[in-house]
Structure formats: structure tokens, C-alpha cells
Amino acid sequence: MNDFQFQNTTKVYFGKDQLQNLHTEVLKHGSKVLFAYGGGSLKRTGLYDKVIEELKNNDIEVYELAGVEPNPRHTTVNKGVQIVRENKIPCLLAVGGGSTIDCCKAIAATVYTDIDDVWKLVKKEVSFNKALPVIAMPTIASTGSEMDTSCQIANVELHVKGGLASPLLRPVASFLNP
């Protein structure tokens, strides 16, 4: 199959040689990015190093949110919101499964609100009308979160999950390399 680019709301970079375009998408929003990922497989496969190299070689300042859990916890989202606010980060990069992408979507929604806890958004106590841009790089075919408008977040203290949905949460770009 040939590499190609396709855009239908989310711009899709498809194929093995598309990572070289990552910096272009990040730089549309600024020169800083929060790079969120899950466990160790990203580093074991070498993708972590390739992403970091692509970003740093193009003068992008990288902040990390590592260890995003399956069924991302609201506390992890809140940690990401804090990193973004403290460092004035204009863009989010989610690399991993649907949970990592969902975590970034929840961060994107929360950062422009007056709250520090995403769970208030999930419970619909607070609404949002603006979100940071999310760039997705799924490493597994599963949820479709790299092109949809929703996310699921877990509150392990309450033993419940809940979600957010808005066109504002659709990733601006996704990098797909089967």
C-alpha cells in the first residue's frame, strides 16, 4: 500500500514514512507540546525515540505525561492539565492506545476552564466551549479515538467511568502507521 494523506475533519497521515510530518502539525499551534503516552512498549519498540527526535530536531520543546493508564484516571488527566497550564503548552500529542488519546482529549477540554478536576466536566457540573488541539498517534487499532469526538475517563475512587463528547475534542491530525 502506498503512503497517503487524507483529511476529513481530522487530517490523516497514513503510512510508514509520515512521522517526518509530525513537527509540521505541532508547529501550527506553537513550539511546545505535551507528549502523553502509556507504559513501556513505546520505549521498547523505539517509537518513543523517533517521536522525541522528530520534535527536538525541529526545535519543539517537549513536556511529558508518562504512564497513562488503560481507562485513564481523572487524576492523571488533572496532572496533565497542571503541566499544560504551568508551561503554557498550546498542543497535545497522544501516542499509544485509545486511553492515551482519551486522556489528552480530557486535558484539552479541562485546560480552558476554571476548574482543576476534570471530573466536574464529566459530571456535567461545568461545561467547556474551547479545547486545545490534540494530535493522535495510535499504536493499536481499537477504539477509533484518533478520529472521534469523545473520551472516557475513570474515577477509581468512586469505581465509575464517565465521558465527555464535543466536536472540539476531535483530533486535528492523526498519524496512522499499520
Side-chain angles (χ1 to χ4, degrees):
M1 180 173 287
N2 294 329
D3 292 355
F4 65 88
Q5 295 178 16
F6 167 79
Q7 184 170 354
N8 186 7
T9 307
T10 298
K11 186 173 187 177
V12 175
Y13 288 85
F14 185 91
K16 63 181 178 168
D17 296 323
Q18 296 299 319
L19 182 62
Q20 66 193 6
N21 296 300
L22 178 60
H23 74 278
T24 302
E25 286 300 323
V26 172
L27 289 171
K28 287 178 182 178
H29 310 287
S31 61
K32 295 181 184 181
V33 69
L34 177 68
F35 174 20
Y37 55 94
S41 65
L42 202 66
K43 290 187 178 181
R44 283 192 308 275
T45 63
L47 183 56
Y48 172 89
D49 292 332
K50 291 177 184 176
V51 169
I52 290 292
E53 180 181 9
E54 169 67 15
L55 296 170
K56 291 199 173 183
N57 283 349
N58 289 283
D59 299 318
I60 297 169
E61 196 172 343
V62 180
Y63 297 82
E64 295 186 31
L65 179 63
V68 175
E69 314 85 0
N71 297 308
R73 296 178 180 177
H74 79 289
T75 53
T76 302
V77 171
N78 295 341
K79 187 188 310 181
V81 169
Q82 183 179 359
I83 294 168
V84 168
R85 286 178 175 163
E86 287 175 359
N87 297 287
K88 296 177 177 43
I89 300 169
C91 182
L92 308 173
L93 171 62
V95 181
S99 292
T100 303
I101 300 167
D102 282 3
C103 181
C104 280
K105 289 178 181 182
I107 293 167
T110 308
V111 77
Y112 286 121
T113 67
D114 292 334
I115 60 171
D116 294 322
D117 186 359
V118 67
W119 202 249
K120 291 181 179 183
L121 281 177
V122 173
K123 291 187 343 184
K124 311 292 187 255
E125 292 176 6
V126 176
S127 62
F128 66 100
N129 57 14
K130 188 175 180 182
L132 283 177
V134 174
I135 298 170
M137 189 179 298
T139 56
I140 183 171
S142 62
T143 65
S145 196
E146 70 273 8
M147 291 178 57
D148 72 21
T149 61
S150 63
C151 63
Q152 288 290 312
I153 304 299
N155 186 321
V156 294
E157 293 139 13
L158 300 176
H159 305 286
V160 294
K161 291 194 303 187
L164 299 172
S166 168
L168 297 169
L169 300 181
R170 186 183 309 275
V172 295
S174 289
F175 288 78
L176 311 175
N177 181 353

